[in-house]
């Protein structure tokens, strides 16, 4: 039988060697037990299986050679991992390939303790969104009914409200409380991204006209829809590349491309009028094009873009 593990790495500023520890024995109890109750309280902060809610893969900081790590044995093959820290503990949540949730507390003394969560099983393939309530109880905020898209994770607004994608392409506000549906016709596997103003962006108007199928299916988006959330949901703008162009991917990226203090949107646009291939395009929220890269003939242009300020403007 195959054994599956995930690894927790510890970084030390002065370490020059790597030391491997055996799996830590599970002994004792956490000082603050997890209450696996199903009701959600006031959400204080959230953590995602992707880097951050903007969809931006750029991170800041520094590190050094790994000093030590811990292996934690799982009962099945892991598919998703997310983690969040409270005052006293780090919480790790793993969604297995079959949808079962396994969660662990990492104590400051590096003892790892398995804990129960408010949700034991997610629909297969669903990425969990992990959050801390105001009392620092860790919770998974996903609504699990069949009406929600199983390949998309919820997003948490600064107010603590949760927004999740419905199977019908709607954005659903407070999916586990008094649900409010807002129609945007999103991709069935869209990832909702959030900027610093609590504005949502999601890829919309699915089409199968373009058959490249770069991310596992042949359904792409014709547009990006930007939604304000305060006080009510409203469409701020819909950006349409035009012609027969499609947007490949599952989400745009929010980033201040031109350094004017306002976040913009970066996407991959394919099936362009100037020829086969894909290119990166950066849009302002009003739909103006800030910059676009060259076509990548015969293939897909990944959004791992390189940004370089120049006197002639941003280059990609």
């Amino acid at each position: 039988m195959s054994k599956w593990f995930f690894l927790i790495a510890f970084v030390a500023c002065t370490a020059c060697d790597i030391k491997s520890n055996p799996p830590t024995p599970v002994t004792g109890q956490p000082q603050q037990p997890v209450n696996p109750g199903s009701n959600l309280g006031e959400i204080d902060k959230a953590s995602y299986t992707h880097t951050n809610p903007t969809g931006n893969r750029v991170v800041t900081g520094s590190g050094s050679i790994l000093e030590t790590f811990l292996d934690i044995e799982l009962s099945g093959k892991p598919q998703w991992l997310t983690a969040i820290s409270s005052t006293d503990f780090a919480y790790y949540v793993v969604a297995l390939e079959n949808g079962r949730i396994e969660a662990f507390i990492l104590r400051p003394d590096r003892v790892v303790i398995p804990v129960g969560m408010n949700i034991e099983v997610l629909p297969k393939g669903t990425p969990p969104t992990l959050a801390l309530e105001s009392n620092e109880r860790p919770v998974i905020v996903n609504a699990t009914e069949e009406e929600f898209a199983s390949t998309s994770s919820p997003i948490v607004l600064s107010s603590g409200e949760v927004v999740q994608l419905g199977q019908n392409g709607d954005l659903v506000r407070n999916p586990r409380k008094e649900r409010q549906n807002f129609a945007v016709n999103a991709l069935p596997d869209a990832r909702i991204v959030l900027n610093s103003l609590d504005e949502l962006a999601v890829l919309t108007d699915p089409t199968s006209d373009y058959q490249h199928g770069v991310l596992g299916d042949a359904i792409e988006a014709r547009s990006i829809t930007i939604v304000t959330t305060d006080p009510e949901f409203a469409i701020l703008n819909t950006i349409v590349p035009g012609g027969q162009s499609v947007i490949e991917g599952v989400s745009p990226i929010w980033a201040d491309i031109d350094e004017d203090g306002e976040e913009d949107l970066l996407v991959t646009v394919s099936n362009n009028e100037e020829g086969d291939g894909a290119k990166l395009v950066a849009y302002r929220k009003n739909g103006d094009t800030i910059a676009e890269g060259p076509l990548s003939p015969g293939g897909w242009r990944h959004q791992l873009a390189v940004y370089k300020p120049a006197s002639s403007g941003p280059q990609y």
Side-chain angles (χ1 to χ4, degrees):
M1 179 181 294
S2 298
K3 290 187 177 181
W4 301 96
F5 298 84
F6 77 91
L7 176 148
I8 300 175
F10 299 94
V11 177
C13 296
T14 58
C16 343
D17 61 341
I18 298 177
K19 302 174 184 178
S20 174
N21 287 351
T24 302
V26 177
T27 59
Q29 294 297 322
Q31 300 169 31
Q32 179 182 331
V34 174
N35 175 5
S38 59
N39 293 329
L40 289 185
E42 182 179 346
I43 301 298
D44 186 50
K45 63 178 181 178
S47 179
Y48 305 91
T49 55
H50 46 288
T51 310
N52 65 59
T54 66
N56 198 336
R57 297 168 179 84
V58 174
V59 294
T60 59
S62 61
S64 64
I65 298 175
L66 298 177
E67 181 188 39
T68 186
F69 58 86
L70 298 175
D71 284 325
I72 298 177
E73 187 171 349
L74 304 171
S75 65
K77 185 177 181 179
Q79 185 166 20
W80 298 104
L81 170 67
T82 186
I84 202 165
S85 295
S86 69
T87 303
D88 299 317
F89 306 115
Y91 297 97
Y92 291 83
V93 166
V94 182
L96 303 181
E97 195 173 46
N98 62 6
R100 184 160 295 280
I101 296 295
E102 296 193 0
F104 305 87
I105 283 178
L106 174 62
R107 295 194 326 204
D109 58 3
R110 298 186 180 182
V111 171
V112 177
I113 302 172
V115 294
M117 292 296 295
N118 60 312
I119 290 176
E120 296 182 351
V121 181
L122 288 172
K124 289 179 62 175
T126 300
T129 294
L130 179 61
L132 282 184
E133 296 179 338
S134 56
N135 63 0
E136 296 203 326
R137 179 179 79 122
V139 290
I140 296 171
V141 303
N142 300 59
T144 59
E145 292 88 342
E146 291 184 359
E147 65 191 87
F148 293 98
S150 61
T151 56
S152 181
S153 55
I155 202 92
V156 179
L157 305 179
S158 61
S159 64
E161 291 183 292
V162 176
V163 182
Q164 192 164 343
L165 182 67
Q167 288 275 18
N168 60 357
D170 288 359
L171 298 178
V172 184
R173 190 171 194 162
N174 297 321
R176 297 184 62 177
K177 297 180 181 179
E178 301 82 14
R179 297 176 184 173
Q180 298 176 4
N181 281 50
F182 187 75
V184 293
N185 194 24
L187 288 183
D189 57 352
R191 177 185 294 163
I192 309 164
V193 291
L194 179 73
N195 70 8
S196 60
L197 299 176
D198 263 6
E199 295 168 341
L200 307 172
V202 63
L203 298 184
T204 47
D205 297 323
T207 177
S208 58
D209 289 347
Y210 184 66
Q211 293 293 321
H212 187 203
V214 65
L215 294 179
D217 62 41
I219 300 176
E220 312 298 347
R222 291 285 192 197
S223 62
I224 314 165
T225 297
I226 305 167
V227 177
T228 60
T229 62
D230 187 19
E232 300 294 334
F233 277 21
I235 292 178
L236 179 65
N237 192 23
T238 299
I239 300 172
V240 182
Q244 295 302 307
S245 297
V246 299
I247 301 167
E248 289 197 87
V250 295
S251 76
I253 292 173
W254 282 111
D256 185 2
I257 302 294
D258 53 2
E259 298 182 330
D260 65 351
E262 294 188 7
E263 290 150 302
D264 311 294
L265 290 159
L266 176 68
V267 292
T268 298
V269 180
S270 301
N271 205 33
N272 298 279
E273 292 180 353
E274 61 264 44
D276 293 334
K279 62 184 179 182
L280 295 176
V281 183
Y283 295 102
R284 292 191 176 91
K285 288 189 295 186
N286 65 5
D288 291 345
T289 300
I290 302 171
E292 60 183 63
L295 284 177
S296 175
W300 180 56
R301 179 71 75 173
H302 201 289
Q303 294 171 354
L304 289 174
V306 176
Y307 166 68
K308 177 184 177 183
S311 57
S312 60
Q315 298 178 354
Y316 301 88

Short mmCIF file of all heavy atoms in Angstrom, two decimals, residues 182-230:
data_model
loop_
_atom_site.label_atom_id
_atom_site.label_comp_id
_atom_site.label_asym_id
_atom_site.label_seq_id
_atom_site.Cartn_x
_atom_site.Cartn_y
_atom_site.Cartn_z
N PHE A 182 -25.90 36.12 -7.30
CA PHE A 182 -25.66 37.23 -8.21
C PHE A 182 -25.16 36.64 -9.52
O PHE A 182 -24.10 36.01 -9.58
CB PHE A 182 -24.62 38.20 -7.62
CG PHE A 182 -24.43 39.45 -8.43
CD1 PHE A 182 -25.38 40.46 -8.40
CD2 PHE A 182 -23.31 39.61 -9.23
CE1 PHE A 182 -25.20 41.62 -9.15
CE2 PHE A 182 -23.13 40.75 -9.97
CZ PHE A 182 -24.08 41.76 -9.94
N ALA A 183 -25.92 36.82 -10.59
CA ALA A 183 -25.64 36.17 -11.87
C ALA A 183 -24.50 36.88 -12.60
O ALA A 183 -24.57 38.10 -12.82
CB ALA A 183 -26.88 36.15 -12.74
N VAL A 184 -23.46 36.12 -12.97
CA VAL A 184 -22.37 36.67 -13.78
C VAL A 184 -21.99 35.74 -14.93
O VAL A 184 -21.17 36.11 -15.77
CB VAL A 184 -21.11 36.93 -12.92
CG1 VAL A 184 -21.36 38.06 -11.93
CG2 VAL A 184 -20.64 35.67 -12.21
N ASN A 185 -22.53 34.51 -14.98
CA ASN A 185 -22.23 33.55 -16.03
C ASN A 185 -20.74 33.21 -16.04
O ASN A 185 -20.05 33.31 -17.06
CB ASN A 185 -22.67 34.05 -17.40
CG ASN A 185 -22.68 32.96 -18.46
OD1 ASN A 185 -22.80 31.77 -18.14
ND2 ASN A 185 -22.57 33.34 -19.72
N ALA A 186 -20.22 32.79 -14.89
CA ALA A 186 -18.80 32.48 -14.74
C ALA A 186 -18.46 31.14 -15.36
O ALA A 186 -19.33 30.28 -15.57
CB ALA A 186 -18.42 32.48 -13.26
N LEU A 187 -17.18 30.94 -15.66
CA LEU A 187 -16.69 29.63 -16.06
C LEU A 187 -17.02 28.60 -14.99
O LEU A 187 -17.00 28.92 -13.79
CB LEU A 187 -15.17 29.65 -16.24
CG LEU A 187 -14.55 30.37 -17.43
CD1 LEU A 187 -13.04 30.17 -17.40
CD2 LEU A 187 -15.11 29.88 -18.74
N PRO A 188 -17.30 27.36 -15.36
CA PRO A 188 -17.63 26.35 -14.35
C PRO A 188 -16.47 26.03 -13.41
O PRO A 188 -16.69 25.56 -12.29
CB PRO A 188 -18.01 25.11 -15.18
CG PRO A 188 -17.45 25.36 -16.54
CD PRO A 188 -17.44 26.83 -16.74
N ASP A 189 -15.22 26.30 -13.84
CA ASP A 189 -14.06 26.05 -12.97
C ASP A 189 -13.33 27.35 -12.63
O ASP A 189 -12.13 27.35 -12.34
CB ASP A 189 -13.08 25.06 -13.63
CG ASP A 189 -12.60 25.53 -15.00
OD1 ASP A 189 -13.13 26.54 -15.51
OD2 ASP A 189 -11.69 24.89 -15.55
N ALA A 190 -14.06 28.46 -12.64
CA ALA A 190 -13.44 29.76 -12.39
C ALA A 190 -12.96 29.87 -10.95
O ALA A 190 -13.56 29.32 -10.03
CB ALA A 190 -14.43 30.88 -12.69
N ARG A 191 -11.87 30.60 -10.74
CA ARG A 191 -11.40 30.96 -9.42
C ARG A 191 -11.69 32.45 -9.22
O ARG A 191 -11.27 33.28 -10.01
CB ARG A 191 -9.90 30.70 -9.27
CG ARG A 191 -9.32 31.12 -7.92
CD ARG A 191 -7.82 30.96 -7.88
NE ARG A 191 -7.44 29.55 -7.98
CZ ARG A 191 -6.22 29.14 -8.29
NH1 ARG A 191 -5.27 30.01 -8.57
NH2 ARG A 191 -5.95 27.85 -8.34
N ILE A 192 -12.42 32.77 -8.18
CA ILE A 192 -12.75 34.16 -7.86
C ILE A 192 -11.51 34.81 -7.25
O ILE A 192 -10.89 34.26 -6.34
CB ILE A 192 -13.92 34.25 -6.89
CG1 ILE A 192 -15.10 33.41 -7.37
CG2 ILE A 192 -14.34 35.69 -6.67
CD1 ILE A 192 -16.14 33.13 -6.30
N VAL A 193 -11.14 36.02 -7.73
CA VAL A 193 -10.01 36.73 -7.14
C VAL A 193 -10.49 38.09 -6.62
O VAL A 193 -11.45 38.67 -7.11
CB VAL A 193 -8.85 36.90 -8.15
CG1 VAL A 193 -8.20 35.56 -8.42
CG2 VAL A 193 -9.32 37.54 -9.44
N LEU A 194 -9.78 38.58 -5.60
CA LEU A 194 -10.23 39.72 -4.81
C LEU A 194 -9.10 40.75 -4.71
O LEU A 194 -7.96 40.39 -4.41
CB LEU A 194 -10.62 39.23 -3.41
CG LEU A 194 -11.09 40.24 -2.37
CD1 LEU A 194 -12.49 40.73 -2.72
CD2 LEU A 194 -11.08 39.59 -0.98
N ASN A 195 -9.43 42.04 -4.92
CA ASN A 195 -8.41 43.07 -4.76
C ASN A 195 -8.53 43.75 -3.39
O ASN A 195 -9.37 43.37 -2.56
CB ASN A 195 -8.45 44.08 -5.91
CG ASN A 195 -9.70 44.97 -5.90
OD1 ASN A 195 -10.49 44.97 -4.95
ND2 ASN A 195 -9.88 45.74 -6.95
N SER A 196 -7.73 44.75 -3.16
CA SER A 196 -7.68 45.41 -1.85
C SER A 196 -8.90 46.26 -1.57
O SER A 196 -9.12 46.69 -0.43
CB SER A 196 -6.42 46.27 -1.75
OG SER A 196 -6.41 47.28 -2.76
N LEU A 197 -9.73 46.52 -2.58
CA LEU A 197 -10.96 47.30 -2.40
C LEU A 197 -12.18 46.41 -2.26
O LEU A 197 -13.31 46.89 -2.33
CB LEU A 197 -11.15 48.25 -3.59
CG LEU A 197 -10.05 49.29 -3.82
CD1 LEU A 197 -10.33 50.09 -5.08
CD2 LEU A 197 -9.91 50.20 -2.61
N ASP A 198 -11.96 45.13 -2.04
CA ASP A 198 -13.04 44.15 -1.95
C ASP A 198 -13.84 44.06 -3.25
O ASP A 198 -15.05 43.83 -3.24
CB ASP A 198 -13.98 44.47 -0.78
CG ASP A 198 -13.64 43.66 0.46
OD1 ASP A 198 -12.61 42.96 0.44
OD2 ASP A 198 -14.39 43.73 1.44
N GLU A 199 -13.16 44.24 -4.36
CA GLU A 199 -13.76 44.04 -5.68
C GLU A 199 -13.36 42.66 -6.19
O GLU A 199 -12.20 42.27 -6.10
CB GLU A 199 -13.31 45.13 -6.65
CG GLU A 199 -13.81 46.51 -6.25
CD GLU A 199 -13.14 47.63 -7.01
OE1 GLU A 199 -12.04 47.41 -7.59
OE2 GLU A 199 -13.69 48.75 -7.03
N LEU A 200 -14.34 41.95 -6.72
CA LEU A 200 -14.11 40.60 -7.24
C LEU A 200 -13.88 40.66 -8.74
O LEU A 200 -14.42 41.51 -9.44
CB LEU A 200 -15.32 39.71 -6.96
CG LEU A 200 -15.82 39.64 -5.51
CD1 LEU A 200 -17.14 38.87 -5.45
CD2 LEU A 200 -14.78 38.98 -4.62
N ALA A 201 -13.08 39.72 -9.23
CA ALA A 201 -12.94 39.54 -10.68
C ALA A 201 -13.07 38.06 -10.96
O ALA A 201 -12.53 37.22 -10.23
CB ALA A 201 -11.61 40.08 -11.18
N VAL A 202 -13.79 37.73 -12.03
CA VAL A 202 -14.01 36.33 -12.38
C VAL A 202 -14.13 36.23 -13.90
O VAL A 202 -14.62 37.15 -14.57
CB VAL A 202 -15.27 35.79 -11.67
CG1 VAL A 202 -16.52 36.52 -12.12
CG2 VAL A 202 -15.41 34.29 -11.85
N LEU A 203 -13.63 35.14 -14.46
CA LEU A 203 -13.74 34.91 -15.90
C LEU A 203 -15.15 34.46 -16.23
O LEU A 203 -15.70 33.57 -15.58
CB LEU A 203 -12.72 33.88 -16.36
CG LEU A 203 -11.25 34.25 -16.15
CD1 LEU A 203 -10.34 33.18 -16.73
CD2 LEU A 203 -10.91 35.61 -16.75
N THR A 204 -15.74 35.06 -17.27
CA THR A 204 -17.16 34.87 -17.55
C THR A 204 -17.42 34.60 -19.03
O THR A 204 -16.53 34.68 -19.87
CB THR A 204 -17.95 36.12 -17.10
OG1 THR A 204 -17.29 37.31 -17.57
CG2 THR A 204 -18.03 36.20 -15.58
N ASP A 205 -18.69 34.31 -19.32
CA ASP A 205 -19.17 34.01 -20.68
C ASP A 205 -18.41 32.84 -21.30
O ASP A 205 -17.63 32.99 -22.26
CB ASP A 205 -19.08 35.24 -21.58
CG ASP A 205 -19.97 36.37 -21.10
OD1 ASP A 205 -21.08 36.08 -20.61
OD2 ASP A 205 -19.55 37.54 -21.17
N PRO A 206 -18.60 31.62 -20.77
CA PRO A 206 -17.88 30.46 -21.27
C PRO A 206 -18.22 30.15 -22.72
O PRO A 206 -19.35 30.34 -23.17
CB PRO A 206 -18.32 29.33 -20.34
CG PRO A 206 -19.56 29.81 -19.68
CD PRO A 206 -19.49 31.29 -19.64
N THR A 207 -17.21 29.67 -23.44
CA THR A 207 -17.39 29.27 -24.83
C THR A 207 -16.54 28.04 -25.11
O THR A 207 -15.47 27.88 -24.53
CB THR A 207 -16.99 30.41 -25.80
OG1 THR A 207 -17.12 29.94 -27.15
CG2 THR A 207 -15.57 30.86 -25.57
N SER A 208 -17.01 27.19 -26.01
CA SER A 208 -16.23 26.04 -26.46
C SER A 208 -15.77 26.22 -27.90
O SER A 208 -15.32 25.27 -28.54
CB SER A 208 -17.05 24.75 -26.31
OG SER A 208 -18.26 24.85 -27.06
N ASP A 209 -15.86 27.45 -28.42
CA ASP A 209 -15.47 27.70 -29.80
C ASP A 209 -13.98 27.50 -30.03
O ASP A 209 -13.55 27.14 -31.13
CB ASP A 209 -15.84 29.13 -30.21
CG ASP A 209 -17.35 29.32 -30.35
OD1 ASP A 209 -18.06 28.31 -30.39
OD2 ASP A 209 -17.79 30.49 -30.41
N TYR A 210 -13.19 27.75 -28.99
CA TYR A 210 -11.73 27.61 -29.11
C TYR A 210 -11.33 26.29 -28.48
O TYR A 210 -11.59 26.06 -27.30
CB TYR A 210 -11.05 28.80 -28.41
CG TYR A 210 -9.55 28.82 -28.53
CD1 TYR A 210 -8.93 29.01 -29.76
CD2 TYR A 210 -8.74 28.68 -27.41
CE1 TYR A 210 -7.55 29.05 -29.88
CE2 TYR A 210 -7.36 28.72 -27.51
CZ TYR A 210 -6.77 28.91 -28.74
OH TYR A 210 -5.40 28.95 -28.85
N GLN A 211 -10.69 25.42 -29.23
CA GLN A 211 -10.53 24.02 -28.82
C GLN A 211 -9.15 23.69 -28.26
O GLN A 211 -8.78 22.52 -28.21
CB GLN A 211 -10.81 23.12 -30.03
CG GLN A 211 -12.26 23.16 -30.48
CD GLN A 211 -13.22 22.55 -29.47
OE1 GLN A 211 -12.91 21.55 -28.84
NE2 GLN A 211 -14.38 23.15 -29.31
N HIS A 212 -8.40 24.67 -27.81
CA HIS A 212 -7.04 24.36 -27.35
C HIS A 212 -7.05 23.49 -26.09
O HIS A 212 -6.31 22.53 -25.97
CB HIS A 212 -6.28 25.66 -27.08
CG HIS A 212 -4.84 25.45 -26.77
ND1 HIS A 212 -4.08 26.36 -26.07
CD2 HIS A 212 -3.99 24.43 -27.07
CE1 HIS A 212 -2.84 25.90 -25.95
NE2 HIS A 212 -2.76 24.74 -26.56
N GLY A 213 -7.88 23.80 -25.11
CA GLY A 213 -8.02 22.96 -23.93
C GLY A 213 -6.75 22.89 -23.09
O GLY A 213 -6.34 21.82 -22.65
N VAL A 214 -6.14 24.06 -22.81
CA VAL A 214 -4.85 24.07 -22.14
C VAL A 214 -4.91 23.56 -20.70
O VAL A 214 -3.96 22.96 -20.20
CB VAL A 214 -4.24 25.48 -22.19
CG1 VAL A 214 -5.07 26.47 -21.41
CG2 VAL A 214 -2.81 25.48 -21.68
N LEU A 215 -6.02 23.78 -20.00
CA LEU A 215 -6.09 23.43 -18.58
C LEU A 215 -7.09 22.30 -18.32
O LEU A 215 -7.77 22.28 -17.30
CB LEU A 215 -6.44 24.66 -17.73
CG LEU A 215 -5.38 25.76 -17.73
CD1 LEU A 215 -5.83 26.94 -16.90
CD2 LEU A 215 -4.05 25.23 -17.22
N GLY A 216 -7.18 21.37 -19.25
CA GLY A 216 -7.95 20.18 -18.98
C GLY A 216 -9.31 20.12 -19.65
O GLY A 216 -9.94 19.07 -19.67
N ASP A 217 -9.79 21.23 -20.17
CA ASP A 217 -11.05 21.20 -20.92
C ASP A 217 -10.99 22.24 -22.02
O ASP A 217 -10.04 23.01 -22.12
CB ASP A 217 -12.26 21.44 -20.00
CG ASP A 217 -12.23 22.79 -19.32
OD1 ASP A 217 -11.87 23.80 -19.97
OD2 ASP A 217 -12.57 22.87 -18.12
N ALA A 218 -11.99 22.23 -22.88
CA ALA A 218 -12.01 23.15 -24.02
C ALA A 218 -12.99 24.29 -23.80
O ALA A 218 -13.49 24.88 -24.75
CB ALA A 218 -12.37 22.38 -25.29
N ILE A 219 -13.27 24.61 -22.55
CA ILE A 219 -14.17 25.73 -22.23
C ILE A 219 -13.32 26.91 -21.77
O ILE A 219 -12.58 26.80 -20.79
CB ILE A 219 -15.19 25.34 -21.15
CG1 ILE A 219 -16.04 24.17 -21.61
CG2 ILE A 219 -16.07 26.53 -20.80
CD1 ILE A 219 -17.01 23.66 -20.57
N GLU A 220 -13.41 28.02 -22.49
CA GLU A 220 -12.66 29.23 -22.14
C GLU A 220 -13.64 30.38 -21.93
O GLU A 220 -14.85 30.23 -22.09
CB GLU A 220 -11.65 29.58 -23.25
CG GLU A 220 -10.80 28.42 -23.72
CD GLU A 220 -9.91 27.81 -22.65
OE1 GLU A 220 -9.75 28.43 -21.58
OE2 GLU A 220 -9.39 26.70 -22.88
N ALA A 221 -13.12 31.54 -21.56
CA ALA A 221 -13.97 32.70 -21.26
C ALA A 221 -13.88 33.73 -22.38
O ALA A 221 -12.82 33.91 -23.00
CB ALA A 221 -13.54 33.32 -19.94
N ARG A 222 -14.98 34.43 -22.59
CA ARG A 222 -15.00 35.55 -23.53
C ARG A 222 -14.75 36.88 -22.82
O ARG A 222 -14.47 37.88 -23.48
CB ARG A 222 -16.35 35.63 -24.23
CG ARG A 222 -16.64 34.51 -25.21
CD ARG A 222 -15.88 34.67 -26.49
NE ARG A 222 -16.36 33.76 -27.53
CZ ARG A 222 -15.68 33.45 -28.62
NH1 ARG A 222 -14.49 33.97 -28.83
NH2 ARG A 222 -16.19 32.61 -29.51
N SER A 223 -14.85 36.89 -21.48
CA SER A 223 -14.81 38.19 -20.79
C SER A 223 -14.32 38.04 -19.36
O SER A 223 -14.22 36.93 -18.82
CB SER A 223 -16.20 38.82 -20.79
OG SER A 223 -17.14 38.00 -20.09
N ILE A 224 -14.02 39.19 -18.76
CA ILE A 224 -13.73 39.30 -17.33
C ILE A 224 -14.81 40.20 -16.74
O ILE A 224 -15.05 41.30 -17.24
CB ILE A 224 -12.36 39.96 -17.07
CG1 ILE A 224 -11.28 39.38 -17.95
CG2 ILE A 224 -12.00 39.88 -15.58
CD1 ILE A 224 -10.01 40.23 -17.98
N THR A 225 -15.43 39.74 -15.66
CA THR A 225 -16.43 40.56 -14.99
C THR A 225 -15.90 41.01 -13.64
O THR A 225 -15.39 40.20 -12.86
CB THR A 225 -17.75 39.79 -14.80
OG1 THR A 225 -18.28 39.46 -16.10
CG2 THR A 225 -18.78 40.62 -14.05
N ILE A 226 -16.00 42.32 -13.38
CA ILE A 226 -15.54 42.91 -12.12
C ILE A 226 -16.78 43.29 -11.32
O ILE A 226 -17.69 43.97 -11.83
CB ILE A 226 -14.67 44.15 -12.39
CG1 ILE A 226 -13.51 43.78 -13.31
CG2 ILE A 226 -14.15 44.74 -11.07
CD1 ILE A 226 -12.79 44.98 -13.87
N VAL A 227 -16.82 42.87 -10.06
CA VAL A 227 -18.01 43.04 -9.22
C VAL A 227 -17.63 43.78 -7.94
O VAL A 227 -16.70 43.36 -7.22
CB VAL A 227 -18.64 41.68 -8.87
CG1 VAL A 227 -19.83 41.84 -7.94
CG2 VAL A 227 -19.05 40.94 -10.14
N THR A 228 -18.31 44.87 -7.65
CA THR A 228 -18.16 45.54 -6.36
C THR A 228 -19.02 44.80 -5.33
O THR A 228 -20.04 44.19 -5.67
CB THR A 228 -18.59 47.01 -6.43
OG1 THR A 228 -19.97 47.09 -6.83
CG2 THR A 228 -17.75 47.77 -7.44
N THR A 229 -18.64 44.88 -4.07
CA THR A 229 -19.33 44.11 -3.03
C THR A 229 -19.89 44.95 -1.90
O THR A 229 -20.57 44.42 -1.03
CB THR A 229 -18.39 43.06 -2.43
OG1 THR A 229 -17.28 43.73 -1.80
CG2 THR A 229 -17.86 42.12 -3.50
N ASP A 230 -19.60 46.24 -1.87
CA ASP A 230 -19.99 47.08 -0.75
C ASP A 230 -20.84 48.25 -1.23
O ASP A 230 -20.37 49.05 -2.03
CB ASP A 230 -18.74 47.59 -0.03
CG ASP A 230 -19.05 48.35 1.26
OD1 ASP A 230 -20.17 48.18 1.79
OD2 ASP A 230 -18.19 49.12 1.71
#
